[in-house]
Amino acid sequence: RDMPALVGQAAKVVQPGGLLVASTNHHQMTQRAFRVKVSEGLEPFEAQFIRAFHEPEVDFPVEPGAQPYLKAVVSRIAP
């Protein structure tokens, strides 16, 4: 619920040109929904998505139709 606010607070302490890594282990949240929440938090900043990923399926198999637990997004805060 408070992901956008948390991301916004974290972005304030990232040096210009620096990277912000946001992650969640909420299995019911889709990767897309997570990226939307992160984007909402980064709206006041000029930020660029670098990469989105989740845990490797080799080590953490995901049931068909299920969402991976860990989701992470790396963003660069504009200089």
Side-chain angles (χ1 to χ4, degrees):
R1 294 179 296 213
D2 58 352
M3 180 65 70
L6 181 61
V7 169
Q9 291 173 359
K12 289 178 184 177
V13 297
V14 176
Q15 294 231 3
L19 298 176
L20 173 72
V21 178
S23 66
T24 183
N25 66 350
H26 191 311
H27 74 283
Q28 293 179 330
M29 181 181 287
T30 65
Q31 182 76 22
R32 179 168 166 66
F34 178 60
R35 282 188 65 167
V36 167
K37 295 282 188 189
V38 172
S39 293
E40 289 173 5
L42 293 175
E43 281 179 3
F45 305 90
E46 290 185 42
Q48 173 188 11
F49 277 111
I50 302 297
R51 184 170 181 216
F53 55 94
H54 57 80
E55 70 274 8
E57 290 188 39
V58 171
D59 295 325
F60 302 95
V62 178
E63 296 291 324
Q67 293 293 319
Y69 280 87
L70 177 66
K71 295 154 200 75
V73 173
V74 179
S75 302
R76 183 175 306 280
I77 305 301

